[in-house]
């Protein structure tokens, strides 16, 4: 049986913390920034942890079971 490959798109979008949690970037920070407030743009810079409800989907994309 062949190896299961990791989705290349997921490989580029997610990173792991030291404790094994998955980090992600915030959306809405790439364009149309003129109408967003400074506070909103500043808060979108930081990374977030993937929500537990989406964790199974992300682990499947990264081939972690």
């Amino acid at each position: 049986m062949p190896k299961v490959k990791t989705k290349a798109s997921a490989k580029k979008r997610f990173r792991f913390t030291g404790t094994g949690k998955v980090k992600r970037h915030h959306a809405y920070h790439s364009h149309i920034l003129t109408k967003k407030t400074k506070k909103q743009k500043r808060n979108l810079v930081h990374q977030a942890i993937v929500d537990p409800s989406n964790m199974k989907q992300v682990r499947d994309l990264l081939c972690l079971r």
Side-chain angles (χ1 to χ4, degrees), residues 35-63:
K35 61 178 74 173
K36 294 173 185 143
T37 63
K38 289 179 188 174
K39 182 179 180 180
Q40 189 177 4
K41 289 185 278 193
R42 185 172 63 242
N43 289 333
L44 290 173
V45 169
H46 307 294
Q47 293 189 339
I49 302 293
V50 172
D51 195 75
S53 60
N54 298 325
M55 202 58 179
K56 184 181 182 309
Q57 294 167 313
V58 173
R59 291 182 77 81
D60 287 346
L61 290 172
L62 295 170
C63 296

Side-chain angles (χ1 to χ4, degrees), residues 8-49:
S9 58
K11 191 175 12 177
K12 296 168 191 173
R13 286 174 171 81
F14 300 108
R15 295 283 177 262
F16 289 97
T17 63
T19 57
K21 295 177 184 173
V22 183
K23 294 189 295 187
R24 65 173 178 83
H25 288 287
H26 284 282
Y28 308 112
H29 191 64
S30 57
H31 65 294
I32 314 177
L33 299 174
T34 52
K35 61 178 74 173
K36 294 173 185 143
T37 63
K38 289 179 188 174
K39 182 179 180 180
Q40 189 177 4
K41 289 185 278 193
R42 185 172 63 242
N43 289 333
L44 290 173
V45 169
H46 307 294
Q47 293 189 339
I49 302 293

